[in-house]
Amino acid sequence: MTDISPVCKNQSMVFFDSLGAGKMWALKMFDAAAKPPRSLFLGNINWVGNWDQCHQVKSNGSRPEFRGKYCRASIGIPKGVLPIENLPGLENAKLEVGICFPDQCTEKDVAAHVRAGLDLVTLTFLPVVEVECEGEEHPDSDFWIVIGVVIGMAVLIAAATIYDGVRRFMMQSGEVDFQDATAQRDTSDEIASSSNDIPLKKLSLGGQENQGFHNDETPTANQNGGPALQQNGRPASQQNGTPRNQAARSATAPRSADKQQAVPEPQTTAGKLVVGCSAIANTEFVFDTYLPDTAITALDGIRVISTTWVILGHVFNYATDRSRFVLLENGIDVWDLQKEFNSQTIINGTFAVDTFFFMSALLMTFLTMKKWKRSGKIYGPKEWFFFYFLRWLRIVPALLFVVAVYTWVLPWVGNGPLWSTRQFPPNRSDCVNYFWAYALLIHNFIPNGIGSKCLGYTWYVANDYQLWAISPIIMIIMFFSPIASFILMFGIVVASLIAGGYIYQDLYVYGDSITTLLRVWDDYYVKPYTRCIPWMIGIAFGYLFFKTQGRIRMKAVYVILGWMLATAGALSCVWGSFANFGEGMTKIDTLPHTLYNVLTRILWALCIGWVVFACHKGYGGIVNRLLSWSAYRPLSKMTYVAYLIHPAIMLVYMFLQKSLIFATEITLVYLYFGHLITTFVIAYIIGLLVEFPMANMQKILFKQG
């Protein structure tokens, strides 16, 4: 006790004397401290105590007078004592104990108290690893800078919305003349977007987006919606007399644009920029479900379903977050859920990312090749500059907005026994130190993986741009010699298989796919040279769409065979490694699991390719109807931002808890739907604030030709 400061020692003596005398404030202070709880052998090693009650403590009438202060002590656990240390990431797990101390006690004082307490009960072998106490902390200048930027953006959007609203009112009241030339929808001048193939915003106030950087056809950063396929001046859906998507559309989306007069655009660039920031105009855009009959309508459904699949997997992942300490009372129970057969649909949600890669590459290739054919030449220096710059401009603003808010604002929005402004969010220092790498979209290449730990899931955004960056080499060769380009792509796929297989087999942990994933994260999972296979297949399908504009006649037997093979292939991708999870099953050896891991990248992309191809060419049936449901359309325009923000929402929710959650399957299902709804609501708000105005500005300022 000699290490305790005099002021803390005096306050502590007052507490012990008052506790012995049965004073209510001292009893509450003692009650606020953590006690050994239930579920210790289910992983409950985070004893939080009662944070609120500790803050309510006030030593009324005592001298010296003080208040309660919440502290957390981390105590080392000997190896082999608790089964939770067998979980990946918890090999060095510590017992976390929440304690209520007098407010003048420092972290060093608390550590000395805890050490003395352990010695008193003969637990001298347990080390006090760390003590963290709440203190008087205030936001730094970075916080106020980010808040100032956000407020400034909100004011700008509000002003633009007021301007647009007044303008609309004056038009409707007859004070401003409508110009019939701009009153009708012009689908040729609408911009598509979907960031990382997770969609963004288009300029028009509604309608089908043609994915254009300039002249409405160079693909944007996100490739949302579907390209208008034309052949000999006729829509692809009407080739051979068959309206391919008409049936699906008539059952799903009203052609409101044909029945309603649109608000004409302002005539000046400044006016267009202002209206492009209007929440009214952008909300109309979001909820407009119009698509021309020529659109690849299934892409919206695939995009939304893939995004919700990613969110589902992350609900389980972030609920079991162990970056600082366990957040569940029964972590071992949740870990054991992976042994169930249906858990594979959650664990293998990683295939959804391959779907995004495939869609981005398909649309990029189709639209670029179409434009080159029309002009008879490839891009010149100016067009190549815009090809790269506008893609970057479409992706990065929303990404940096999320990174900035996550890094410098979120630490100050919460409190509680699990919250720490100094250590929330987890791995925050990586975002601070490598903010520049996020801006350059190279954070997945920072050595030792430290650039992809703060917002680890954004590795996908970096990969998307990196694969986009190398694609012109393939497309240029493809334009002049398709055979040579396919040989090149085949070589890239083979090289990726060899590189990925070599890395994976070297790090594979026999029979443990989850631990293997953690080990291969830095060198395999987040690198474009191991994730490029779906992108290459997407380029191939983009060329196929380019060469087969219009409907292709296929025999029924081939259609049935295609759907059977695609279904079987997709199911084998999702459930093919269940032996590594099922209890009592023979685990998979290194070679077959390595082959499974690398070859399913090919198989999954081919399966998705068949679904898109069959649906667009008139052989999708009920699948096309389901994927073309008009309700997907508004959600598809928000999926990029939804992807960027959903893990932050999950972390905030988990770390704001005042007690640990006892998780069951139904608990996690409810968490999933809660996170899903919250994610899209916030994505809509951020879209109005950042993504949609930036996409409109890009279209207005950089439109070519």
Side-chain angles (χ1 to χ4, degrees), residues 474-649:
I474 299 171
M475 291 190 295
I476 291 172
I477 297 174
M478 181 177 287
F479 184 71
F480 295 104
S481 176
I483 294 177
S485 69
F486 274 84
I487 293 174
L488 174 60
M489 286 191 293
F490 178 78
I492 293 173
V493 169
V494 171
S496 179
L497 289 174
I498 295 173
Y502 176 78
I503 297 170
Y504 193 88
Q505 62 84 28
D506 188 51
L507 298 173
Y508 177 67
V509 178
Y510 174 76
D512 193 339
S513 298
I514 302 298
T515 300
T516 300
L517 177 60
L518 297 177
R519 295 187 65 188
V520 304
W521 177 267
D522 297 339
D523 298 323
Y524 172 84
Y525 193 82
V526 302
K527 296 298 190 291
Y529 48 78
T530 58
R531 303 307 300 261
C532 65
I533 293 176
W535 189 276
M536 295 299 131
I537 295 175
I539 291 177
F541 270 87
Y543 184 76
L544 176 63
F545 272 62
F546 167 68
K547 295 298 289 185
T548 61
Q549 299 179 40
R551 176 163 179 166
I552 296 177
R553 294 190 178 276
M554 296 177 62
K555 293 182 179 180
V557 63
Y558 295 139
V559 175
I560 294 173
L561 181 62
W563 280 107
M564 290 177 61
L565 291 176
T567 302
L571 292 177
S572 66
C573 289
V574 175
W575 276 282
S577 64
F578 178 64
N580 265 3
F581 298 90
E583 195 166 12
M585 300 183 70
T586 302
K587 303 306 179 185
I588 306 175
D589 286 329
T590 300
L591 178 59
H593 199 276
T594 299
L595 291 174
Y596 160 81
N597 188 75
V598 296
L599 294 178
T600 50
R601 302 294 174 193
I602 299 177
L603 182 57
W604 182 263
L606 291 174
C607 294
I608 297 299
W610 167 259
V611 172
V612 176
F613 183 81
C615 287
H616 189 61
K617 298 302 181 181
Y619 300 103
I622 186 63
V623 175
N624 187 48
R625 282 180 169 272
L626 292 174
L627 294 177
S628 301
W629 185 30
S630 62
Y632 288 129
R633 189 71 183 148
L635 295 175
S636 73
K637 301 170 188 177
M638 298 182 282
T639 48
Y640 176 52
V641 176
Y643 179 85
L644 291 179
I645 65 173
H646 75 272
I649 293 172

Side-chain angles (χ1 to χ4, degrees), residues 24-159:
M24 184 55 67
W25 69 264
L27 292 172
K28 288 184 177 180
M29 191 170 184
F30 175 76
D31 185 49
K35 319 295 188 305
R38 64 179 184 178
S39 307
L40 184 62
F41 287 92
L42 291 180
N44 190 2
I45 57 173
N46 189 359
W47 306 351
V48 298
N50 192 322
W51 184 88
D52 288 313
Q53 186 167 298
C54 180
H55 280 266
Q56 295 167 5
V57 169
K58 183 177 180 181
S59 59
N60 298 318
S62 64
R63 291 292 182 270
E65 192 170 280
F66 56 85
R67 292 181 174 274
K69 177 170 68 173
Y70 186 84
C71 297
R72 171 183 293 278
S74 300
I75 302 171
I77 303 174
K79 293 287 185 180
V81 174
L82 296 176
I84 196 170
E85 67 183 29
N86 296 321
L87 271 60
L90 287 174
E91 296 82 2
N92 299 309
K94 298 180 290 292
L95 180 65
E96 305 286 341
V97 182
I99 316 171
C100 191
F101 268 86
D103 57 10
Q104 293 301 309
C105 291
T106 65
E107 292 176 350
K108 182 178 179 181
D109 295 331
V110 175
H113 271 294
V114 174
R115 176 73 272 160
L118 291 173
D119 292 343
L120 185 64
V121 294
T122 69
L123 296 177
T124 56
F125 58 93
L126 296 181
V128 180
V129 178
E130 180 186 12
V131 170
E132 180 183 3
C133 294
E134 295 176 324
E136 289 293 328
E137 297 179 282
H138 302 283
D140 54 18
S141 59
D142 293 328
F143 169 86
W144 293 112
I145 290 172
V146 175
I147 288 295
V149 171
V150 173
I151 292 175
M153 296 168 66
V155 170
L156 175 64
I157 300 304

Side-chain angles (χ1 to χ4, degrees), residues 374-441:
R374 188 172 62 188
S375 65
K377 61 181 181 179
I378 64 173
Y379 292 149
K382 182 179 180 180
E383 288 82 5
W384 282 123
F385 169 78
F386 281 113
F387 181 86
Y388 288 107
F389 173 68
L390 295 181
R391 177 76 164 184
W392 179 90
L393 188 63
R394 182 57 65 85
I395 294 175
V396 169
L399 173 63
L400 293 188
F401 177 86
V402 171
V403 173
V405 172
Y406 183 82
T407 305
W408 289 292
V409 176
L410 284 191
W412 304 99
V413 302
N415 55 41
L418 304 177
W419 196 279
S420 169
T421 55
R422 284 177 283 175
Q423 300 192 52
F424 185 88
N427 301 305
R428 174 175 176 263
S429 61
D430 289 344
C431 276
V432 175
N433 297 331
Y434 297 101
F435 187 82
W436 59 271
Y438 283 87
L440 296 177
L441 298 174

Side-chain angles (χ1 to χ4, degrees), residues 87-306:
L87 271 60
L90 287 174
E91 296 82 2
N92 299 309
K94 298 180 290 292
L95 180 65
E96 305 286 341
V97 182
I99 316 171
C100 191
F101 268 86
D103 57 10
Q104 293 301 309
C105 291
T106 65
E107 292 176 350
K108 182 178 179 181
D109 295 331
V110 175
H113 271 294
V114 174
R115 176 73 272 160
L118 291 173
D119 292 343
L120 185 64
V121 294
T122 69
L123 296 177
T124 56
F125 58 93
L126 296 181
V128 180
V129 178
E130 180 186 12
V131 170
E132 180 183 3
C133 294
E134 295 176 324
E136 289 293 328
E137 297 179 282
H138 302 283
D140 54 18
S141 59
D142 293 328
F143 169 86
W144 293 112
I145 290 172
V146 175
I147 288 295
V149 171
V150 173
I151 292 175
M153 296 168 66
V155 170
L156 175 64
I157 300 304
T161 303
I162 293 172
Y163 168 84
D164 190 29
V166 171
R167 176 173 168 271
R168 290 164 181 260
F169 175 78
M170 294 176 66
M171 287 178 174
Q172 293 173 359
S173 64
E175 297 182 36
V176 177
D177 291 335
F178 272 92
Q179 298 186 22
D180 293 338
T182 60
Q184 301 298 322
R185 175 188 303 275
D186 181 6
T187 60
S188 68
D189 194 34
E190 296 174 350
I191 170 177
S193 82
S194 83
S195 151
N196 322 314
D197 208 70
I198 309 186
L200 314 180
K201 157 69 171 124
K202 299 76 181 171
L203 169 66
S204 71
L205 302 185
Q208 166 64 18
E209 302 81 35
N210 274 336
Q211 318 200 355
F213 275 157
H214 25 293
N215 199 24
D216 70 70
E217 287 196 354
T218 304
T220 67
N222 289 313
Q223 318 310 342
N224 178 42
L229 304 184
Q230 302 248 338
Q231 187 175 33
N232 300 324
R234 297 174 59 198
S237 62
Q238 296 177 5
Q239 298 296 316
N240 303 319
T242 305
R244 176 187 45 76
N245 278 326
Q246 187 175 12
R249 284 206 69 266
S250 63
T252 57
R255 302 278 307 247
S256 58
D258 297 336
K259 299 179 181 180
Q260 298 180 9
Q261 190 179 46
V263 178
E265 291 182 351
Q267 299 303 303
T268 65
T269 299
K272 292 178 181 179
L273 288 172
V274 173
V275 172
C277 295
S278 166
I280 298 173
N282 287 326
T283 297
E284 285 182 343
F285 156 74
V286 168
F287 291 99
D288 185 0
T289 60
Y290 170 80
L291 280 175
D293 294 335
T294 51
I296 308 178
T297 53
L299 289 183
D300 282 334
I302 293 173
R303 184 175 294 108
V304 173
I305 292 172
S306 297

